[in-house]
Amino acid sequence: MTTKRWDAFYFETDRLYLLACNQPMLEALTKGDQAVTEYLQITVPPKWSIFGASIYNYTLLQLKKKPADYIWWTYLAILKNTRTLIGAGGFKGAPDADGVVEIGYEISKAYQGQQFATEMAKGLIDFAFSHEVVNTVQAHTAAKNNASTSVLKKCGMKRVQTIDLGKEGTIWQWKLKR
């Protein structure tokens, strides 16, 4: 892959580039789709993200504290054959003292049902376990069977507990150990 705009770490799965977002990329994400298109020189379809800019603002604040940790935060899922942004995901920070990282992911509605979420989640898990410090990858979902629970099961993750968040509802915690 050659483009001057991809000045950050990325790795590949069968059909995706998973591009780690450094500070300039996160700044583009907070400015909107046109800024992302111009900065990364990729196709950015409308309504590609459910979560919107707030998550990128949060990550940007975290990276301002520890810029080198950008590989443990946000990744963009870019379809290789068309260079189209189809989703995002990544980690909720660097491994903790026990070697645990948490993954999350989203795929644009137009690309759901094509196993991209599973491919992205597997890629993130493989990346995490390529670092000796990581012992466990975890995730959280709504406490019901849905597409995300199916993705985690396909990745070998096991539901380990139900967590009551009070007014916010109940979630399931999933884990995969090295």
Side-chain angles (χ1 to χ4, degrees):
M1 157 127 332
T2 57
T3 175
K4 64 180 178 163
R5 293 296 183 184
W6 289 30
D7 57 353
F9 173 79
Y10 72 93
F11 63 93
E12 300 179 34
T13 63
D14 288 343
R15 300 175 292 167
L16 301 172
Y17 295 116
L18 296 177
L19 176 62
C21 292
N22 58 18
Q23 288 184 42
M25 283 180 225
L26 288 164
E27 289 167 359
L29 283 162
T30 64
K31 292 176 185 170
D33 294 350
Q34 187 59 38
V36 176
T37 298
E38 291 171 9
Y39 186 79
L40 294 176
Q41 300 180 5
I42 60 173
T43 302
V44 180
K47 299 181 182 178
W48 68 272
S49 174
I50 298 165
F51 299 113
S54 63
I55 196 165
Y56 306 118
N57 284 317
Y58 175 79
T59 304
L60 189 54
L61 288 173
Q62 301 309 308
L63 289 188
K64 286 182 178 180
K65 297 173 193 171
K66 291 184 88 177
D69 279 357
Y70 82 97
I71 65 166
W72 294 110
W73 287 96
T74 301
Y75 282 77
L76 299 179
I78 301 167
L79 197 56
K80 284 182 182 180
N81 63 351
T82 61
R83 292 178 56 93
T84 301
L85 180 59
I86 66 164
F91 304 96
K92 293 185 178 181
D96 68 13
D98 295 322
V100 178
V101 293
E102 183 169 344
I103 63 168
Y105 46 86
E106 70 167 326
I107 296 294
S108 170
K109 197 169 206 94
Y111 292 90
Q112 291 176 2
Q114 300 175 54
Q115 304 298 313
F116 288 117
T118 302
E119 185 172 333
M120 182 178 197
K122 283 182 179 177
L124 292 168
I125 291 167
D126 289 347
F127 172 78
F129 284 141
S130 74
H131 294 81
E132 290 293 321
V133 68
V134 175
N135 299 312
T136 304
V137 176
Q138 71 178 9
H140 292 89
T141 65
K144 62 182 179 182
N145 290 317
N146 57 33
S148 198
T149 61
S150 177
V151 165
L152 297 176
K153 288 176 188 176
K154 289 176 191 173
C155 292
M157 296 188 89
K158 303 290 183 213
R159 190 175 82 201
V160 296
Q161 81 176 301
T162 300
I163 303 169
D164 183 359
L165 299 175
K167 291 181 183 180
E168 295 178 33
T170 304
I171 60 172
W172 286 339
Q173 183 180 64
W174 299 79
K175 289 191 178 188
L176 180 64
K177 295 193 180 288
R178 180 181 294 278

